[in-house]
Structure formats: structure tokens, C-alpha cells
């Protein structure tokens, strides 16, 4: 996971996450959309969830043999409920008979996220997902980056208006909140934003030095 984060950052969130795709499709349902700034303090909730439910609880709330439960998956994760829990329950009668409060609770959270996704772009990714929090930490240092050409940028703010996360890309192209969807690149009228791998730039620099 660290290797992927170092290479790609939150590119995984924008292009590989199946639950991200589901949220994208739900958000296309015609409705009045609510844009939440990338500076909203609610973005820090996923880091709290990462620390508490992924690190602290499994580390200290253990059974007799010292094993902790995956508490985020067990108590919160709506992706697991939708993509695994519900299909298993539908296909297995014995599991349907064993449904209790925990499954009902997670089903409630899933419905809440689905409804929120109609009005807000990727609410799970932005405010809940601990994996997104981990990948986001690596965004500023990952090899895959967004670059803004300051000579071409006219600060029209179209990148911010297009961004589903409302990031001011021309100011912070490698924000931890950026999911690397590429919408800002398409929206930029002067083509000032581009994506690239830092390793490619380093090779180009080496080649230029060798020529000189």
C-alpha cells in the first residue's frame, strides 16, 4: 500500500476504487448539488477514523490471543456492506436468519452515504475513507503529480469550479484532498495544468545535463 501511495497518491481513489465509481454514478442523478469547500474541517474526520478505528482500537481492543478486529470494516465501512455483505446475505439463507443490529447499523450507514452521494460529490471518499486518508498523505510526495504552469495560468478559477472536491488546483495542485480525476486538466482553457511522473522529469534533466 505504501508503494502504491508513493507511486500514485490518490490516483487510486479517482480511477481504481469501485465504491468511488458507485458514488460517481449516484451523483449523476439529477438534483440540486451541494458544493463543499476542500478547506471544510470535516475533511479531517477521515484522519480521526484512521487513527481510532484502523490503528488504536485493533491495537488495544484484542481477544485472549492478542488479535484485534478490523473495527473500521466491522463497524463503519459501507463499501464492504454494499459489495460483500448484502450479496452474501441475499445468497445465503442462514446468514439472513443471523442478521442482527450490527448489519442493520451498517445498512443504515450505507443508505446515508448513498443519499448523501446524490447531493455531494464523493462524501465517503472525502470525509470517511481511511484508505483515502493514507493515500492523501502521500499526494504531495508521490511520483505522479499535477503541475501548474504559472506562465500559462490566468487564475480564471475554472479548475476549482470543475473539481468535484472544490480544490483550488492552481494554488495547490497536489493537495491531499485531490483524487487525481483529471477534471481540472480538461477544464483549463490555457492548458496550464498537466499530470506527469516526477521520475520522467528527473530522467529528462539527466539527459539534458549529459547533452550539455
Amino acid at each position: 500500500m505504501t508503494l502504491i501511495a508513493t507511486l500514485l497518491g490518490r490516483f487510486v481513489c479517482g480511477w481504481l476504487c469501485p465504491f468511488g465509481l458507485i458514488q460517481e454514478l449516484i451523483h449523476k442523478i439529477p438534483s440540486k448539488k451541494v458544493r463543499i469547500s476542500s478547506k471544510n474541517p470535516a475533511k479531517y474526520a477521515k484522519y480521526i477514523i484512521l487513527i481510532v478505528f484502523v490503528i488504536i482500537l485493533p491495537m488495544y481492543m484484542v481477544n485472549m490471543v492478542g488479535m484485534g478486529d478490523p473495527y473500521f470494516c466491522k463497524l463503519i465501512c459501507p463499501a464492504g456492506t454494499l459489495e460483500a455483505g448484502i450479496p452474501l446475505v441475499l445468497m445465503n439463507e442462514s446468514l439472513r436468519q443471523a442478521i442482527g443490529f450490527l448489519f442493520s447499523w451498517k445498512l443504515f450507514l450505507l443508505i446515508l452515504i448513498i443519499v448523501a452521494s446524490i447531493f455531494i460529490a464523493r462524501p465517503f471518499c472525502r470525509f470517511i475513507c481511511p484508505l483515502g486518508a493514507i493515500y492523501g498523505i502521500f499526494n504531495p510526495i508521490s511520483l505522479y503529480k499535477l503541475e501548474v504552469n504559472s506562465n500559462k495560468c490566468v487564475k480564471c478559477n475554472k479548475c476549482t469550479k470543475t473539481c468535484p472536491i472544490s480544490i483550488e488546483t492552481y494554488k495547490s495542485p497536489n493537495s491531499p484532498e485531490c483524487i487525481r480525476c483529471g477534471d481540472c486538466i480538461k477544464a483549463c482553457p490555457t492548458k496550464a495544468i498537466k499530470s506527469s511522473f516526477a521520475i520522467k522529469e528527473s530522467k529528462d534533466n539527466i539527459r539534458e545535463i549529459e547533452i550539455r
Side-chain angles (χ1 to χ4, degrees):
M1 188 167 62
T2 303
L3 174 62
I4 293 172
T6 304
L7 291 172
L8 300 174
R10 289 196 76 175
F11 181 91
V12 176
C13 303
W15 294 95
L16 301 178
C17 176
F19 197 64
L21 170 63
I22 292 169
Q23 291 175 89
E24 290 274 356
L25 295 175
I26 293 173
H27 193 63
K28 292 182 182 297
I29 296 175
S31 66
K32 184 177 180 180
K33 306 303 179 185
V34 179
R35 291 187 65 84
I36 299 177
S37 170
S38 62
K39 298 178 181 179
N40 192 298
K43 68 182 180 181
Y44 295 112
K46 60 182 174 289
Y47 296 101
I48 296 173
I49 290 173
L50 170 64
I51 293 170
V52 175
F53 289 92
V54 179
I55 299 175
I56 294 179
L57 290 182
M59 187 180 295
Y60 292 103
M61 292 185 65
V62 298
N63 58 23
M64 294 180 64
V65 294
M67 296 289 289
D69 288 336
Y71 284 98
F72 174 77
C73 299
K74 184 177 180 179
L75 302 177
I76 299 176
C77 184
T81 304
L82 178 63
E83 297 163 12
I86 292 177
L88 282 173
V89 167
L90 291 176
M91 292 186 295
N92 192 314
E93 186 177 350
S94 61
L95 286 178
R96 289 199 295 272
Q97 295 174 354
I99 288 176
F101 171 77
L102 185 58
F103 185 82
S104 301
W105 162 250
K106 293 189 68 179
L107 191 61
F108 167 74
L109 290 179
L110 172 62
I111 294 171
L112 200 64
I113 294 296
I114 289 174
V115 173
S117 297
I118 298 174
F119 308 101
I120 303 169
R122 289 185 173 243
F124 176 73
C125 304
R126 299 177 66 179
F127 310 122
I128 299 174
C129 182
L131 190 57
I134 293 172
Y135 287 141
I137 294 172
F138 284 83
N139 250 10
I141 60 172
S142 65
L143 294 181
Y144 181 81
K145 293 182 179 296
L146 293 184
E147 298 176 351
V148 178
N149 188 326
S150 57
N151 295 324
K152 290 183 178 180
C153 179
V154 293
K155 297 180 175 56
C156 63
N157 216 31
K158 284 188 178 180
C159 54
T160 307
K161 294 175 182 177
T162 305
C163 176
I165 317 298
S166 300
I167 296 170
E168 294 177 313
T169 309
Y170 68 97
K171 290 183 180 179
S172 53
N174 296 297
S175 164
E177 302 305 307
C178 176
I179 59 172
R180 308 302 203 205
C181 66
D183 288 354
C184 57
I185 298 174
K186 298 175 185 176
C188 182
T190 61
K191 308 300 180 185
I193 307 172
K194 68 175 183 177
S195 61
S196 66
F197 276 91
I199 191 169
K200 179 181 178 182
E201 181 180 349
S202 299
K203 287 182 178 178
D204 289 342
N205 289 342
I206 292 171
R207 192 179 298 112
E208 184 180 349
I209 292 172
E210 289 175 349
I211 294 172
R212 287 181 179 178

